[in-house]
Amino acid sequence: MTEQEFKDKYEALLKEFQQKYNASGRLHKQFHEDDLVKSLKAAENEDERTAIIAAKIFRIEADRTNQLIGFMLKRFLDIHD
C-alpha cells in the first residue's frame, strides 16, 4: 500500500466512523448524567466545578479516541465482528 492509498483509506474510514458513530447529542447526553449533575451541585466553588467538567471532557474524549482506534484497527486489519 502506498502512502497515498493509506491516506485515502484512512480518510474514507474516518468519514465512515463519524457517520456511524455520529456525535450529535452525545456531549449533551453525557453532561446531563445524574452523577455529573450531583457532583457539580456538590462542588464548593468554581475551581472545583471547572475541574469536574475538565475531567469529564477528558474521559469522554479518551473513550472516543479508544473507540476510533479500535474501529480503524478492525478495518485496516479487515476483522469482522
Side-chain angles (χ1 to χ4, degrees):
M1 176 182 296
T2 67
E3 185 176 346
Q4 188 58 47
E5 289 171 330
F6 175 84
K7 286 179 182 179
D8 292 344
K9 185 171 185 174
Y10 174 82
E11 290 297 324
L13 289 174
L14 185 58
K15 186 176 182 179
E16 179 184 343
F17 175 82
Q18 290 170 340
Q19 289 172 345
K20 187 173 183 177
Y21 300 102
N22 186 354
S24 176
R26 179 177 59 95
L27 287 177
H28 178 78
K29 180 180 176 184
Q30 291 179 325
F31 275 117
H32 287 85
E33 292 174 350
D34 288 340
D35 62 329
L36 178 64
V37 173
K38 288 177 187 175
S39 297
L40 289 172
K41 287 180 180 179
E44 295 181 10
N45 56 48
E46 286 298 315
D47 289 340
E48 203 172 313
R49 282 188 278 283
T50 300
I52 292 168
I53 292 169
K56 183 67 174 180
I57 291 170
F58 180 80
R59 187 175 319 154
I60 290 168
E61 291 306 315
D63 290 347
R64 184 84 171 158
T65 299
N66 288 338
Q67 189 180 31
L68 175 61
I69 290 169
F71 177 85
M72 289 294 196
L73 281 173
K74 283 182 177 180
R75 293 300 193 274
F76 270 105
L77 299 175
D78 199 27
I79 298 171
H80 302 282
D81 291 331

